[in-house]
Amino acid sequence: MPAKTNPIGVFDSGVGGLTVLKELLDIMPGEDFVYFGDTARVPYGPRTPEEIRKFTRQILRFLAEQKVKLAVIACNTITFNIIAADVADCPFPVIGMNDSVKAALSVSKAKRVGVIATQATVSSAKHVESGKNIDPEAKVYLQACPEFVPIIERGIFDGPEIEAAVKEYLRPLQDVKIDALILACTHYPLVAPLVGRLMGPTVNIINPARETALDAQRLLVEKDLLNPAKEAGKLRIVFSSVSPETENLAKVFLQRALPQLEVKDVSSYFYCI
Ligand code: DGL
């Protein structure tokens, strides 16, 4: 059983998961965190579930070496493409992104919810399944936005290029008159102001990051694993490759000063599916 003072592992395909880490740091400042971003292999969105599962197992192995007490999957693409067997042998609990369909339906008067995400998340159709389970009359519309992550990874959050892509992807959701929109990719909060502007005030924009952080906190309470420390915890950020752009982007995503970035290649780690 891991100790209360062990760190919490948080991981994503790249820098996107830092939007979730930011929420975790806000609500649990006394915890130690180790963040891993697979920047050498980002994006995961166009990959097959088999590849995503293999990479996830390699990252979980790295986090096991760091003796984490919990792993938070700060990536929708991973959350909705792995299967229970991928995490079954982890010596710590693993929690994924909250799909936020319930939260979206609770504010949707029309019972029409849009979901924007990567291709792999859309292909999993997990949000549609969740919608049917919560309310059989609800309609959940999925829209893959394959151009978003590469553009956002170049540090572009506004302006003509991203605006053209946002307009193109949002049009089908506007046509079906959604009134709630889930940002089901941890990169997308960076373009939330633009998305909100283009969708107009009648559409509620839902970012699942805070709910996911609260789920993680609840799980630690349940397992009696919260760190009782009063002083601020330690933060480590590890990427599979680092460039000056990664560092700049990480600062924007995390919205606070960064520790010295570490580099770790996990691609040769043994995995077994
Ligand atoms: N940030 C990831 C997510 O939440 C996707 C980025 C990628 O395509 O790797 O889905």
Side-chain angles (χ1 to χ4, degrees), residues 4-224:
K4 293 180 183 192
T5 48
N6 287 14
I8 299 173
V10 182
F11 68 103
D12 176 49
S13 56
V15 290
L18 294 170
T19 57
V20 179
L21 178 62
K22 178 188 168 297
E23 300 293 336
L24 288 160
L25 286 163
D26 281 352
I27 65 169
M28 295 186 280
E31 298 288 343
D32 291 350
F33 288 93
V34 182
Y35 179 89
F36 181 85
D38 200 0
T39 41
R41 298 187 289 192
V42 72
Y44 282 14
R47 296 183 185 275
T48 62
E50 287 69 30
E51 263 181 312
I52 295 166
R53 293 177 53 207
K54 167 184 163 180
F55 295 173
T56 301
R57 284 184 166 237
Q58 290 175 322
I59 298 169
L60 285 169
R61 169 130 188 240
F62 167 72
L63 292 178
E65 285 174 3
Q66 311 313 307
K67 306 240 176 304
V68 300
K69 62 180 175 183
L70 165 73
V72 181
I73 309 173
C75 175
N76 295 268
T77 304
I78 296 174
T79 300
F80 302 118
N81 279 280
I82 60 168
I83 62 172
D86 294 325
V87 300
D89 50 5
C90 284
F92 44 81
V94 180
I95 187 168
M97 291 298 295
N98 187 303
D99 68 21
S100 290
V101 175
K102 202 169 175 189
L105 280 172
S106 72
V107 294
S108 167
K109 292 196 188 77
K111 290 193 185 179
R112 288 167 180 271
V113 171
V115 178
I116 52 174
T118 65
Q119 185 56 57
T121 298
V122 166
S123 301
S124 78
K126 290 280 165 57
H127 296 78
V128 173
E129 198 182 308
S130 187
K132 280 199 189 115
N133 290 337
I134 297 165
D135 181 349
E137 280 174 22
K139 291 264 186 301
V140 177
Y141 299 94
L142 306 175
Q143 176 65 49
C145 308
E147 282 180 50
F148 281 6
V149 170
I151 298 177
I152 295 170
E153 288 269 334
R154 281 172 25 230
I156 298 170
F157 314 125
D158 211 335
E161 187 181 0
I162 184 87
E163 195 167 320
V166 173
K167 276 190 180 145
E168 181 194 328
Y169 294 136
L170 294 185
R171 198 166 305 122
L173 298 175
Q174 287 167 322
D175 289 347
V176 293
K177 302 202 178 344
I178 57 155
D179 61 1
L181 177 65
I182 303 172
L183 306 179
C185 172
T186 52
H187 281 71
Y188 298 177
L190 274 295
V191 291
L194 175 61
V195 170
R197 206 162 69 227
L198 294 175
M199 287 309 274
T202 53
V203 178
N204 288 283
I205 309 289
I206 319 276
N207 173 7
R210 176 53 71 118
E211 258 194 285
T212 302
L214 291 169
D215 288 346
Q217 187 181 42
R218 210 171 297 122
L219 187 64
L220 288 176
V221 171
E222 255 168 50
K223 301 208 173 283
D224 193 22

